[in-house]
Amino acid sequence: MISGAAKLAGVAGWPVAHSLSPALHGHWIVEYRLDAAYVPLAIKPEDLSSAVAALPKLGFRGLNVTLPHKEAAFRLVDERDEAAEATGAVNTIVFEGGRVLGRNTDVFGFVESLREGEVASLTGRTVAVLGAGGAARAVIAGLLSMGAARVNLVNRTADKARVLGAFFGERVSVIEWSSLSKALSGSVLLVNTTSLGMAGQPPLAVDLTPLPVDAAVADIVYRPLETGLLAAAKARGLKTVDGLGMLLHQARPGFAAWFGVEPAVTPALRSSLIRLLEAR
């Protein structure tokens, strides 16, 4: 039970019923015995601006922002952190001192998921990224922050990839989908940022043979937790990183800012979210 002094936060999306964030933050609220609540907020795109203006007046300390609001939130906030500027998107908002602060914790979440998966350093190395959507922006920003010398960006729509490549500059090289094997050759890490392989979506068929034997494969998809891509990587003996880690770790900075506690990603939390995913 919460009191009238409870700290409030939530997740804004349209739709938002599918979001795992209430269960994730709710787990931490119970674990740390906080007088707090984290709620789903179904907000239409045309109402986002008025909602962000109203929420602090209702006692909210901030919110997460999911599809389709991340780019709109970037334009709404008073101040953005480095990761938000690097991606052009905001997924975490903090209300502080009358100001609306925008952050992108997807970059942090992805990097932490790699570190958890024992992919600790990419300094001077080449990596490959599949997809050129919003998720790819956060992933590429994270890879560059880890010191990657070159990102081979591959997307079925080459023009979209070229726009994203131009955004990040000369360390990102756009490679045609038909030349995917070229992108993989010499890459120490492959990251799938597309929805291919997700439950209800077509499979992602990629020949992993060109990857070095010590390479790793990461997939930001977490439904299913082991995608066809990750299963193929495991069959080759490659290190794998699933998409749930990114979701778990990206939530940590927002929770700390709103509720004043640095939360930990534990096996119990991961198991709780896996059970929820399996029940859906």
Side-chain angles (χ1 to χ4, degrees):
M1 181 174 293
I2 61 174
S3 75
K7 298 176 181 178
L8 304 177
V11 55
W14 186 259
V16 77
H18 65 284
S19 176
L20 293 176
S21 292
L24 169 52
H25 289 273
H27 179 98
W28 281 330
I29 287 170
V30 171
E31 180 179 359
Y32 297 110
R33 300 180 181 180
L34 303 180
D35 183 10
Y38 182 99
V39 297
L41 301 166
I43 300 173
K44 295 178 180 179
E46 61 267 29
D47 294 332
L48 181 64
S49 178
S50 57
V52 169
L55 286 171
K57 300 173 185 176
L58 299 175
F60 277 74
R61 293 176 173 243
L63 70 157
N64 284 129
V65 180
T66 188
L67 295 175
H69 299 318
K70 291 184 179 184
E71 292 184 2
F74 178 87
R75 297 188 294 270
L76 281 177
V77 298
D78 300 316
E79 182 180 314
R80 309 176 191 97
D81 69 0
E82 184 178 341
E85 293 287 359
T87 57
V90 162
N91 77 319
T92 301
I93 289 176
V94 178
F95 301 128
E96 185 177 288
R99 293 176 60 77
V100 181
L101 310 180
R103 302 175 181 175
N104 189 303
T105 64
D106 285 334
V107 177
F108 172 85
F110 177 67
V111 170
E112 288 297 298
S113 74
L114 289 185
R115 288 176 175 157
E116 187 177 60
E118 299 181 349
V119 181
S121 174
L122 297 173
T123 302
R125 311 303 294 274
T126 296
V127 299
V129 173
L130 305 182
R137 285 179 175 262
V139 165
I140 292 172
L143 294 171
L144 294 177
S145 76
M146 294 178 73
R150 178 176 175 178
V151 175
N152 289 331
L153 177 60
V154 189
N155 191 56
R156 291 193 184 276
T157 306
D159 286 346
K160 189 174 182 181
R162 280 190 279 270
V163 170
L164 187 55
F167 179 85
F168 282 103
E170 61 183 15
R171 289 164 70 189
V172 177
S173 300
V174 176
I175 296 179
E176 299 284 342
W177 192 274
S178 59
S179 300
L180 179 57
S181 60
K182 174 184 175 183
L184 300 185
S185 180
S187 292
V188 297
L189 172 67
L190 167 65
V191 186
N192 174 44
T193 73
T194 76
S195 61
L196 296 176
M198 182 185 296
Q201 297 294 323
L204 175 60
V206 175
D207 178 9
L208 300 178
T209 305
L211 283 174
V213 295
D214 60 345
V217 176
D219 199 328
I220 68 166
V221 171
Y222 54 83
R223 294 184 181 133
L225 197 58
E226 182 175 273
T227 61
L229 178 66
L230 295 184
K234 284 185 178 179
R236 280 204 63 211
L238 303 178
K239 188 180 299 183
T240 61
V241 180
D242 65 48
L244 187 57
M246 180 177 177
L247 175 72
L248 296 175
H249 286 288
Q250 64 79 30
R252 289 166 47 201
F255 191 91
W258 305 321
F259 302 126
V261 174
E262 293 282 350
V265 171
T266 61
L269 172 60
R270 185 177 176 87
S271 296
S272 175
L273 269 290
I274 290 174
R275 286 195 298 271
L276 181 57
L277 284 170
E278 291 175 342
R280 291 188 172 183

